[in-house]
């Protein structure tokens, strides 16, 4: 068990470019979550998968954002036409079964800076 | 939506001193999660409290859940530099597998 892995750790991009982040959850975890965290704030929920099905999306997830988990294993989060307001830490978490029982395991995050 | 208010926002303590931070919910708490975050890194799970009156301890950290007050406290005994970081509380108000978080308590421990 190597934990939740996120790549890249840091990404600097120019405004208007597209970026893609990857999350590899703990292998036996069937649930995967994406959160966004800005400086001085707690993480905010973006979206959630159970296996390959995307079950919920936050209103924070505009049309420029898309997330996939094609085989129920790793997930990708893509941001198209990045804006400066997209600069944040993007956190991935996974869990096995109901959260109330097992909680989340978070990755180290991908820090995005849009210049 | 559930709002979690954490206090104090930041706290500076001398090594060896005790400290307490709080997390207060605007709605009934059915479960409360405490995480710790070092700057620029991910969240590390500390403890989960499910029942009113529940108290859990891990090493020098003790967390309690007071359902009536809709509040949880986290107490660190004899703080060490390794306790420095941001402590985040999270809750799932609707049982829909979505954690909402507070803004965090920043703890600084001075050697």
């Amino acid at each position: 068990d190597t934990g939740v892995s996120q790549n890249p750790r840091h990404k600097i991009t120019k405004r208007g470019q597209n970026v893609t982040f990857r999350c590899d959850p703990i292998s036996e975890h069937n649930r995967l979550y994406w959160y966004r965290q800005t400086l001085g704030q707690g993480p905010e929920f973006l979206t959630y998968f159970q296996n390959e099905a995307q079950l919920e999306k936050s209103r924070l997830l505009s049309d420029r954002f898309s997330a996939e988990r094609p085989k129920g294993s790793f997930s990708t989060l893509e941001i198209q036409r990045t804006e400066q307001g997209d600069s944040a830490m993007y956190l991935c978490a996974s869990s096995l079964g109901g959260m109330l029982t097992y909680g989340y395991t978070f990755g180290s995050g991908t820090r995005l800076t849009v210049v | 939506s559930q709002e979690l208010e954490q206090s104090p926002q930041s706290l500076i303590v001398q090594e060896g001193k005790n400290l307490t931070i709080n997390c207060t919910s605007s709605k009934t708490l059915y479960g409360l999660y405490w995480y710790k975050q070092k700057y620029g890194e991910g969240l590390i799970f500390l403890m989960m409290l499910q029942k009113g009156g529940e108290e859990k301890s891990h090493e020098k950290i003790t967390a309690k859940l007071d359902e009536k007050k809709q509040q949880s406290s986290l107490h660190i005994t004899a703080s060490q530099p390794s306790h420095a970081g941001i402590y985040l509380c999270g809750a799932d108000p609707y049982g829909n597998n979505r954690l909402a978080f507070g803004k965090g308590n920043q703890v600084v421990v001075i050697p």
Side-chain angles (χ1 to χ4, degrees):
Chain A
D1 178 0
T2 57
V4 177
S5 177
Q6 291 190 245
N7 288 289
R9 288 293 310 274
H10 304 276
K11 179 71 177 178
I12 300 174
T13 191
K14 291 185 178 179
R15 189 174 52 186
Q17 297 294 306
N18 299 344
V19 294
T20 300
F21 311 139
R22 177 176 169 128
C23 172
D24 287 90
I26 293 173
S27 57
E28 61 267 29
H29 284 187
N30 60 342
R31 298 183 181 188
L32 186 147
Y33 307 81
W34 284 99
Y35 278 77
R36 182 174 71 184
Q37 185 180 26
T38 52
L39 198 61
Q41 302 294 317
E44 297 173 296
F45 171 82
L46 291 179
T47 189
Y48 145 58
F49 291 85
Q50 179 161 310
N51 299 313
E52 66 275 10
Q54 188 173 19
L55 297 187
E56 189 175 354
K57 292 195 292 186
S58 162
R59 283 172 290 184
L60 292 175
L61 217 63
S62 75
D63 291 344
R64 296 184 297 106
F65 288 70
S66 62
E68 294 182 343
R69 195 183 182 197
K71 297 183 180 179
S73 56
F74 73 92
S75 175
T76 58
L77 177 68
E78 181 184 14
I79 309 174
Q80 295 182 328
R81 304 181 303 281
T82 52
E83 302 173 356
Q84 286 189 321
D86 297 331
S87 295
M89 172 78 90
Y90 290 84
L91 293 160
C92 174
S94 68
S95 72
L96 175 62
M99 181 183 62
L100 280 177
T101 305
Y102 300 106
Y104 289 169
T105 302
F106 278 87
S108 297
T110 294
R111 179 167 295 282
L112 173 66
T113 303
V114 181
V115 297
Chain B
S1 63
Q2 180 166 42
E3 292 194 0
L4 296 169
E5 184 173 335
Q6 295 190 239
S7 62
Q9 186 176 353
S10 62
L11 186 61
I12 302 173
V13 296
Q14 195 157 17
E15 184 176 357
K17 298 293 186 184
N18 301 339
L19 68 97
T20 300
I21 54 180
N22 297 294
C23 174
T24 303
S25 173
S26 62
K27 294 180 180 292
T28 302
L29 282 169
Y30 295 107
L32 193 288
Y33 298 75
W34 282 101
Y35 287 84
K36 181 185 174 186
Q37 185 178 33
K38 292 281 192 183
Y39 178 75
E41 298 183 10
L43 281 65
I44 298 170
F45 175 75
L46 293 177
M47 273 173 266
M48 172 180 64
L49 303 166
Q50 287 184 266
K51 300 176 185 177
E54 186 172 15
E55 179 175 322
K56 286 187 177 178
S57 293
H58 177 67
E59 297 180 344
K60 294 185 177 180
I61 300 175
T62 300
K64 301 178 185 179
L65 179 60
D66 185 334
E67 270 187 352
K68 287 183 180 178
K69 292 184 180 179
Q70 297 178 180
Q71 184 179 70
S72 177
S73 62
L74 189 142
H75 182 79
I76 299 175
T77 304
S79 59
Q80 300 170 352
S82 62
H83 289 127
I86 299 170
Y87 291 81
L88 290 154
C89 65
D92 177 18
Y94 305 111
N96 61 359
N97 299 298
R98 183 209 308 176
L99 272 184
F101 287 92
K103 292 183 178 182
N105 306 90
Q106 182 173 18
V107 172
V108 175
V109 180
I110 300 173

